[in-house]
Every structure is written in structure tokens, then in C-alpha cells.
Amino acid sequence: MTKKTLRVRFVPFTQDISLGTYRIWVHDYCSYMQNIGIDAAIIPVNRLEEAFKDGDIIILGKGGDSFYTSICEFAAKNYPNTIVGTITPPATLRDTPFDFVMAGSPEEADSLAFNQNTIINAHIESLYWDIDPKKHTDKSSLVIGVHGWSPHLGSFVPNLKWALEEYEKEQKFELRIICENENFNWTVGRPEIENISFRQWDFSTITENILECDIGLIPGITDLSHYVSQFGVQPSHGLFDSDYIFRLKNKCNNGRSLVFHYLGVPVIADFSPSHFHLLGGGDCGYLANTKEGWLYGLRKLKDYKHRNQFSTNAYSRVKHEYNPYTWAQKYYDAMETIYNEKRSKKL
């Protein structure tokens, strides 16, 4: 007998499938829940009353900052047994009385920890989940790929920029940038190398464009280590001139890395905390921050046999540890616990 589940209703403020925050957190996760027997559905915000009448758990999409508080107040007054949460809200909404918030990484969860319940979820896209991974072959010229939001390209400064400029002296390659604007005017961080191409991120071509890559790069952190002297060096306080100093977004996550892993492309990623889960063991890809660190990974992955071994290891790990149905069940279980706790407090 199938266990009766609570009714989960995703209420997005947009249904634009080109937006990752809708595509992954609403469209894909609703589908994952449905596939494991959870009563889940998407109801747009203009049918909000219907969602509350029909659901036990309401998950508000991103983009409703000015409406969040009024929706929570509406729920408290009219549907006191229903729990209301939202997806990765800005930290400025710390006074909005959500029953829970969903964060896309431990980094983001910490920045939202003032909420009474924070649920961590994984950036697992159905677009790449069941694709056969790439098998690497010996090549004289490599395709080194970067995909995602164009502002991430600023994080090539300074070390990845320098590493690619040096690597070009010993290995022929194309640096392929796949982003939301193929005409992006890249100035900050652009390496002075011969072959840089831009590809438009598009549903019909994104998988093929990534599968053509031999190595994936994931930059995102801004390294401030070269400014260490202005912060002072005090060994007695544990401060040394060899320390790392970073600036990173609170929303750092390993989603871009997961895409490469699912498609069988080995990765060199920056020191964003979420990258350490899969890459920290040293057998699924490389972590890098210094110019020498990025070069080390590039030189190792020149060997196609090494690329195959690391991509195989990473693919095996993500298929096990980032299975969408496992994460969808964890997501639901966390919300069910919050729902039951709220009910018990009213009894």
C-alpha cells in the first residue's frame, strides 16, 4: 500500500524554463517528487488561493520579494495548519515569517540561518541526468569549457587568467565560454590567448556544447590573497603571509560542477566550499586557486586516459550521491517534519 503523502504545491512567480531557479527548484524537483509517489504540483501565483486550498505545503518561488510577507500573513490567518516556505530568499527578508527556506548549498544555508528552519538541497538538473557520459580520446588540441552566468568570468582574475596564458605556450586549446549572452563583452579577467569562443546557452545545444569539452573550469571566487599585507601578518594570532583571503557569494554552490560530472567532463574548480565534497578526495577532479594550482590540473588532464579515469570516478560519485530522487525524498521528509512539528504545537 502506497503511503499517503502531504500535498506539496510549488507556487512560482514565473514559469520561464530558461531561468535555472525555476527550471531546477520548481519544474525539476516537482517532477522528481511526483516520480517517487509524492503528491506534488505546480500552481502559478495568480492561482494562489487554489494552491492553499489544495496543498499542505506551499513552496514559493523566487522573485516574489514584495509579496512574501503578505502571503505568509494570509496563510497564518486563513490556513494556519499549512506550512509556507520559499526558495533561496535574499537575506534582507529576515523578518518574513516563513516556516522554512530552501538553500542551494551549506554556504547559502549559513547566510539564511536566522530562519527557523533551513533545508539544504542540491542543484540537480533533469536536462543532464540521463545522458551517457563522454568517453575521452587522444587529441592534439583540447576544448576547455566554462558554462554559466557571464559575471563569473571576472573570477579569472588573476590566477586562472595567468594559468591559461602560460598553458597556451605548451598546449593548443580552445577556451569555450557558454553563457546567456554569446556577444558578452568580456574585459575583466579575459586571458590574452589566441582561441576564445562564445556559445549561446540554449536548450537545443547546451548538452552537445559541453560534451565537446575535454576539461571543465569552474571559477567563481575572487582571490584577495595578494592584498594580505594590508591586513597584517601576525603569526602569534595565526595570521601568515601565505594565508588565503577570498571573497565569495553566499549563494556559492556546486551546480556548474555537477553538470560537467554528469556529462563525463573532468573538472578543475575553485575553492568554493561546496566543491570540496566531490573534489576534495583528489580522484574526481582538481581544486585550484593559485596559478600553479590551475596549471597543475590542466597539465594532468592533458592525458586522455587521466581524463577518462577522473570523469568516470566523478560520474560514479554523482550518480550515487546526487541522485535526484534521493534528494527529492530528503527535501520532502524535511518539510514533513516541519509540518508535523507545527501541528503538534497547536494541539
Side-chain angles (χ1 to χ4, degrees), residues 2 58 69 93 105 110 115-116 121 139 152 156 162 168 199 203-204 306:
T2 303
I58 303 296
T69 299
L93 296 179
S105 66
D110 179 76
N115 289 279
Q116 59 181 311
N121 217 347
K139 299 171 64 178
H152 288 305
F156 276 60
W162 292 338
E168 187 186 44
R199 304 290 178 92
F203 284 105
S204 63
H306 194 58

Side-chain angles (χ1 to χ4, degrees), residues 18-148:
S18 69
L19 298 175
T21 52
Y22 172 76
R23 185 174 65 253
I24 302 171
W25 298 133
V26 178
H27 178 273
D28 284 356
Y29 266 90
C30 182
S31 176
Y32 301 152
M33 288 183 184
Q34 290 171 344
N35 287 339
I36 58 175
I38 293 168
D39 183 350
I42 299 171
I43 299 179
V45 72
N46 60 359
R47 292 158 52 196
L48 182 65
E49 183 81 27
E50 176 185 338
F52 273 98
K53 289 179 179 178
D54 196 41
D56 303 301
I57 299 171
I58 303 296
I59 305 174
L60 301 174
K62 288 191 69 172
D65 300 14
S66 60
F67 302 103
Y68 287 144
T69 299
S70 60
I71 292 174
C72 289
E73 290 173 349
F74 170 81
K77 179 179 179 180
N78 300 285
Y79 297 92
N81 292 325
T82 301
I83 63 170
V84 179
T86 194
I87 296 164
T88 64
T92 53
L93 296 179
R94 62 173 56 237
D95 295 326
T96 303
F98 297 116
D99 293 298
F100 67 92
V101 297
M102 192 223 74
S105 66
E107 300 96 292
E108 185 173 33
D110 179 76
S111 73
L112 298 173
F114 51 82
N115 289 279
Q116 59 181 311
N117 293 297
T118 304
I119 301 169
I120 299 176
N121 217 347
H123 287 69
I124 303 174
E125 291 199 57
S126 62
L127 187 61
Y128 311 105
W129 171 247
D130 282 325
I131 304 295
D132 291 332
K134 179 186 180 79
K135 298 300 180 186
H136 295 264
T137 57
D138 197 10
K139 299 171 64 178
S140 59
S141 180
L142 302 176
V143 178
I144 299 175
V146 179
H147 74 92

Side-chain angles (χ1 to χ4, degrees), residues 186-288:
W186 186 15
T187 55
V188 178
R190 185 183 179 107
E192 296 180 13
I193 57 177
E194 180 180 350
N195 194 357
I196 300 177
S197 68
F198 275 79
R199 304 290 178 92
Q200 183 73 36
W201 195 104
D202 185 87
F203 284 105
S204 63
T205 57
I206 181 61
T207 300
E208 178 184 356
N209 273 325
I210 294 177
L211 283 170
E212 289 173 354
C213 296
D214 302 294
I215 300 170
L217 301 179
I218 315 289
I221 278 180
T222 300
D223 181 14
L224 303 176
S225 300
H226 51 296
Y227 296 124
V228 68
S229 59
Q230 74 184 56
F231 293 96
V233 176
Q234 300 181 56
S236 61
H237 294 170
L239 302 175
F240 300 89
D241 59 9
S242 57
D243 292 345
Y244 294 117
I245 302 176
F246 299 128
R247 180 170 182 168
L248 60 152
K249 290 172 59 182
N250 74 307
K251 294 180 181 295
C252 273
N253 61 76
N254 62 2
R256 288 180 291 149
S257 184
L258 289 179
V259 172
F260 282 124
H261 293 323
Y262 287 133
L263 297 180
V265 178
V267 162
I268 310 170
D270 70 16
F271 277 13
S272 296
S274 287
H275 288 152
F276 281 78
H277 179 221
L278 286 174
L279 302 179
D283 61 348
C284 291
Y286 292 99
L287 291 162

